[in-house]
Amino acid sequence: MAKLDPTTMSATTSPAQEKQRTVFAGRWRSVIQGYGALIACVLLFILNCIFTPHFLSLQTVGLNLQQMSTIAIVAIGMTLVIATGGIDLSVGSVMAIAGVLAPLIFLHLDTTLGIILSFIAPLLIAAICGLFNGWLVARIRVQPIIATLILFIAGRGIAQVLTNGAGLPFTMPGFQWIGQGSFLHIPIQAYIMLALVGLFVLIVQRTTFGRYLQATGGNASAARLAGVPVTRTTWLAYGISGVLAGLAGLIVVALNSNSDPSSVGLNYELSAIAAVAIGGTPLIGGQARVFGTFVGALITQLIYTILVGNNVPQAVALVVNAIIILAAVYIQTQRRKA
């Protein structure tokens, strides 16, 4: 009687074992794809607690919230635009425009009315900028990356022309509370960010506009045939993105007590897109994961904190963020194949 080779026995698996392995691998893949960003966020938080000096101090927590809040606010608007199948490269320039309008208005109208207009007028102009982008995309049918590139270039130039290229010092307590104020040691802009995250999670998940938004990005032609107002939805998404960028610009100016058209909002479009990608919203459109975008913004901030807090050059932090974006896009690709 021939003896069985143990090596051969260990190398072969029964159909039941192979099925069990496949099910196990599929479950892990689902966990990574569905909760990968949240898991990464928890791990980064733990690593910061271990390796970053004074990470849990009130001062460090407040600083981190200040730095991530404006990115998260801009990224919420970017999420809506990307959900329609578009992109908004102009958010940084819109921030600069809103940021210079506030001090200019108050310099010419140093009253309570001036404070009110310093809030309202920049947000209205930012909304118009967003609607202009939406008009180019929805009506003129310009590719979103080209349509928003126009304002990306021209917008910062407009801001520089308004101030003759110089920064404007801006110290006005009635205005600066949105950037420098705090409640229970938590910066005011963090409360604004959390309120907006909650609001837009509800809008996307519970309203007709949220369904229209994702239908537009999923298949615009089919959405039109189904009665979805694709043009109006696209306009509104870009308009909201403009308003949120304008709000972020006001917060940055209030925080810094200065409006520099060359630096306000610089590279924010890249940070916002990174937060959206890391948070799980597909860059091809059709879905809007607002809470995921918030987690993505938190991840980028935690990466920056642990690297810079341990004397790693900021340039390395940018490279690490790029790698994480690449991983996020890869996970999205695998999710679509599954």
Side-chain angles (χ1 to χ4, degrees), residues 7 75 108 323:
T7 306
H108 291 86
I323 294 171

Side-chain angles (χ1 to χ4, degrees), residues 76 79-80 83 195-214 233 236-237 240 244 288-291:
I76 292 169
T79 302
L80 303 185
L196 289 171
V197 169
L199 173 64
F200 281 98
V201 165
L202 290 175
I203 288 174
V204 168
Q205 295 182 355
R206 303 288 184 179
T207 68
T208 302
F209 171 69
R211 293 192 291 272
Y212 285 169
L213 192 75
Q214 296 175 90
T233 301
L236 189 54
I240 292 172
L244 294 180
R289 302 189 177 194
V290 176
F291 182 75

Side-chain angles (χ1 to χ4, degrees), residues 17 24 30 32 47 83 162 182 198 233 243 264 278 283 291 310 321 335 337:
Q17 290 174 320
F24 182 76
S30 298
I32 295 298
L47 289 173
L162 289 173
S182 64
T233 301
V243 171
V264 173
I278 294 170
L283 298 181
F291 182 75
N310 289 277
N321 271 337
R335 184 187 293 124
K337 289 180 180 179

